[in-house]
């Protein structure tokens, strides 16, 4: 099985990305990403899945799921800080409409119980700086168990400055061990940008690794660009690497079969010692990311970014 899905390889007529529970060797989580023109909509019957709607780009996104009608305050792009998000339970009709050209993520997971429609506004999204030194990254925990009530879905997004590593040390969550580890499959959706000052001809990208155990082998060593997806059914995942010159973003969607909605991880024992080096280092001064305040230069004459700790 190829767990790296390049941009455009899992698209449909209405969505640039389609991951669904019931896909081969995939059971619990889903993700759809749509690019919408101004006034354009997408409607989904949620069925047995719950959804978290995440505006990736676009400053106003309307979400309708009767009797609720809300307008989410979005952002210009994923590097411009957190966004409002909406939670829609199973068994609903969901419609998302863009007020301007927008890109929207429809994160989903199979749900076993009814929950309440909810909105987490961007001012309530915990923005945390994790790691230190070149393992510094920024985490938006908008749909983790402490922030959003849901049945099974857990979502967050991570921003990594160029030259830094995240999802490190490599970690896993593929076994049910009470109080120690929870079984969660995971979706990584990527976007990348050139750092301020880079040329328009640059090609933003990052790298994602996944490795398994002797009993459950898996091997991913992928160069990723905007729109790529890496699926993690099991195994040690990380690092996510942002090469110098390019900032990396990823959206994580997690869910599993266990009775408890919890996010517990364990580090790869070969690499967990790295975490002990962080107290002697400072966070990367480029964080936190907010709206870009410097335009990109066109240098045509040039010759010469607890469980959240693992994100």
């Amino acid at each position: 099985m190829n767990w790296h899905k390049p941009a455009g390889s899992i698209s449909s007529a209405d969505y640039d990305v389609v991951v669904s529970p019931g896909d081969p060797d995939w059971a619990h989580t889903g993700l759809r990403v749509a690019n919408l023109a101004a006034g354009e909509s997408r409607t989904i019957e949620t069925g047995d899945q719950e959804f978290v709607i995440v505006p990736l780009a676009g400053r106003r996104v309307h979400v309708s799921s009767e009797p609720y009608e809300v307008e989410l305050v979005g952002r210009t792009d994923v590097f411009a800080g957190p966004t409002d998000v909406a939670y829609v339970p199973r068994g609903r009709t969901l419609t998302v409409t863009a007020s301007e050209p927008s890109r929207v993520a429809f994160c989903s997971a199979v749900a076993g119980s009814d929950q309440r429609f909810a909105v987490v506004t961007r001012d309530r999204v915990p923005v945390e700086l994790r790691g230190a030194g070149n393992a510094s990254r920024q985490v938006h925990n908008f749909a983790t168990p402490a922030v959003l009530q849901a049945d099974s879905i857990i979502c967050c997004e991570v921003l990594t400055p160029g030259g830094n590593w995240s999802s490190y040390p490599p970690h896993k969550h593929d076994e049910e061990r009470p109080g120690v580890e929870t079984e969660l499959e995971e979706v990584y959706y990527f976007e990348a940008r050139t750092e301020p000052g880079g040329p328009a001809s640059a090609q933003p990208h990052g790298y994602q690794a996944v490795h398994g155990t002797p009993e459950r082998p898996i091997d991913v060593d992928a160069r990723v660009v905007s729109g790529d997806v890496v699926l993690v059914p099991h195994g040690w995942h990380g690092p996510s690497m942002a090469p110098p010159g390019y900032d990396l973003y990823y959206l994580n969607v997690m869910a599993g079969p266990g009775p408890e909605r919890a996010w517990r991880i364990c580090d790869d024992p070969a690499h967990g010692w790295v975490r002990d080096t962080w107290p002697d280092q400072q966070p990367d001064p480029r964080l936190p990311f907010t709206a870009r305040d410097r335009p990109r230069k066109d240098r045509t004459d040039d010759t010469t970014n607890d469980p959240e700790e693992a994100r």
Side-chain angles (χ1 to χ4, degrees):
M1 173 68 72
N2 184 2
W3 299 108
H4 172 217
K5 311 296 183 181
S9 67
I10 50 172
S11 62
S12 69
D14 292 328
Y15 298 95
D16 294 331
V17 169
V18 181
V19 177
S20 301
D23 288 348
D25 298 314
W26 202 248
H28 306 288
T29 56
L31 176 67
R32 307 182 203 188
V33 177
N35 277 290
L36 304 176
E40 191 176 6
S41 299
R42 294 289 184 272
T43 297
I44 294 174
E45 298 295 334
T46 64
D48 66 350
Q49 297 181 61
E50 57 189 354
F51 280 76
V52 175
I53 306 305
V54 183
L56 301 173
R59 290 170 292 184
R60 300 282 172 179
V61 175
H62 187 82
V63 177
S64 172
S65 181
E66 192 171 340
Y68 301 100
E69 301 270 345
V70 298
E71 186 175 66
L72 303 181
V73 177
R75 52 197 171 179
T76 54
D77 60 54
V78 295
F79 295 97
T83 178
D84 293 356
V85 304
Y87 170 81
V88 181
R90 67 178 187 174
R92 303 293 183 90
T93 300
L94 161 66
T95 298
V96 173
T97 304
S99 299
E100 61 181 72
S102 301
R103 185 166 55 259
V104 181
F106 299 70
C107 311
S108 67
V110 175
S113 66
D114 296 325
Q115 303 293 325
R116 297 181 60 183
F117 184 97
V119 173
V120 179
T121 58
R122 59 184 182 176
D123 59 301
R124 291 173 49 219
V125 173
V127 177
E128 302 186 57
L129 303 187
R130 296 292 182 178
N134 64 356
S136 299
R137 57 273 202 180
Q138 176 176 333
V139 186
H140 298 166
N141 290 310
F142 53 80
T144 53
V147 177
L148 177 71
Q149 182 175 338
D151 178 83
S152 62
I153 195 168
I154 299 173
C155 301
C156 68
E157 55 188 9
V158 181
L159 299 92
T160 309
N164 284 12
W165 297 41
S166 56
S167 271
Y168 196 76
H171 59 283
K172 75 179 184 71
H173 39 70
D174 59 11
E175 297 179 79
E176 284 293 333
R177 296 190 291 158
V180 178
E181 184 179 357
T182 46
E183 182 181 352
L184 301 167
E185 65 181 18
E186 183 165 10
V187 180
Y188 278 71
Y189 164 81
F190 294 92
E191 296 195 9
R193 73 170 183 181
T194 305
E195 289 185 331
S201 59
Q203 299 180 356
H205 66 285
Y207 293 90
Q208 177 67 39
V210 183
H211 65 280
T213 63
E215 298 76 24
R216 302 179 75 188
I218 184 172
D219 186 16
V220 178
D221 185 9
R223 179 182 185 272
V224 293
V225 300
S226 292
D228 279 19
V229 168
V230 170
L231 302 178
V232 184
H234 56 83
W236 309 103
H237 42 290
S240 303
M241 296 164 275
Y246 303 109
D247 299 328
L248 185 66
Y249 163 94
Y250 51 87
L251 171 65
N252 288 138
V253 187
M254 293 172 277
E260 182 185 11
R261 180 177 175 245
W263 183 13
R264 298 192 184 98
I265 66 145
C266 64
D267 287 338
D268 185 331
H271 306 295
W273 66 269
V274 174
R275 205 181 288 279
D276 297 333
T277 68
W278 294 344
D280 297 327
Q281 302 179 60
Q282 295 298 313
D284 192 309
R286 293 173 291 178
L287 297 175
F289 281 125
T290 56
R292 176 175 281 176
D293 56 7
R294 288 183 292 164
R296 180 183 302 172
K297 296 178 182 178
D298 226 333
R299 299 189 300 179
T300 55
D301 58 343
D302 228 6
T303 57
T304 60
N305 151 55
D306 107 42
E308 291 88 346
E309 293 264 347
R311 300 295 99 198

